[in-house]
Amino acid sequence: MATKRTRAHSQPIALPTVEWTKSFQRQLLAWYGRHQRDLPWRHSSDPYRIWISEIMLQQTQVATVVPYFNRFVAAFPTPRALARADEREVLRHWEGLGYYRRARQLHRAAKVVVDQFGGQFPRDLDSVRQLPGVGRYTAGAIVSIAFDVSAPILEANTVRLFSRLIAFRGAPAASAGQRLLWQLSEMLVPRRHCGAFNQALMELGSLLCTPRAPRCQDCPVSELCAAFRSGEQDQIPQPRAKARSEAVNEAAVVVRRGAKVLLRRRTADERWAGLWDFLRFPLVARRGPKLQKELCEKIERHSGLLVGPPSRIATFKHGVTRFRITLDCYVTESADAKRKPAAGTWKWVRPEDLDRFPLSVTGRKLGRLLVGTQAR
Ligand code: SF4
């Protein structure tokens, strides 16, 4: 492939020649023209819709994102509509998608677009990069796809694809690896049709150059791929060290007072910041009087409320980052009708009104148990 050589992690790497690059661009774009998926954010070049899709697609599969995207842009069709919305409403539309910080940053960024750019999404890379939650990759994707500005991209799919194309055996997440792969992206992105080109890179990584068992026999650029030539496509890129998972026990407690239940808004320093939740805390005891004592003490410590004996109504298993959580769910009655909850944002809510509040996935399951329905 190459005349230029560089080093990353002491491995000599061959970077593409002009001929290789042109051939790659041509074959990739031709393949994309035939095989691109019909996705809702590809129906327009509206930078707002492209931005929403790019933020949703971070850490999330395309099939999961599609219905969320459709509902979100129907509810908030412009930056102005999003900026005007209440944060609770924005989080409600994000509920279940995870990584809620993305939704809060979108909301903040929409206000910046309105306040600083008159509601028009900025066109230049530097201005887009100033928006909350927008990094180098997202800015490059937005301006290339919406405005055909020649800007490089690098995300999970392209990291894998580029590493294989040049047979990069080092660690792609390390700074030397990142420098090399961004350099490659800059060299490859064409002056024209760069939006289609960048989408084609990600599409190839997503459909054919997959993490396991890449479909090299169907790949339009296999003749240009160094890993395919050397038979290393299954070994490249170097896998990341996996964080060891940890099992933990937690309790979620529904405190009732009359026909209402207690909700608390999670604070900025907590997991799922901005969402509403039932009381939730780690549990040490597993059964018997010790468990009852721990529950009552922690309910009082976290809410300031005295309660009757909690009874368990469900157990959910779920994962958050590296934690495998067993969540035991309890119901109890507030023992003092006048006592107010401790500091924080609390609300007494009728179970049938829980739909108005953004909850975590397990919080929503518990809420549905309370109203006795699984229907949304
Ligand atoms: Fe990926 Fe295989 Fe294509 Fe190389 S030939 S880019 S490893 S799918």
Side-chain angles (χ1 to χ4, degrees), residues 161 164-165 204 208-210 214-217 219-223 225-228 233:
L161 172 65
R164 287 169 175 166
L165 285 171
L204 185 65
L208 300 185
C209 199
T210 46
R215 290 168 50 197
C216 303
Q217 69 284 1
C219 177
V221 293
S222 59
E223 285 183 4
C225 175
F228 179 62
Q233 63 270 30

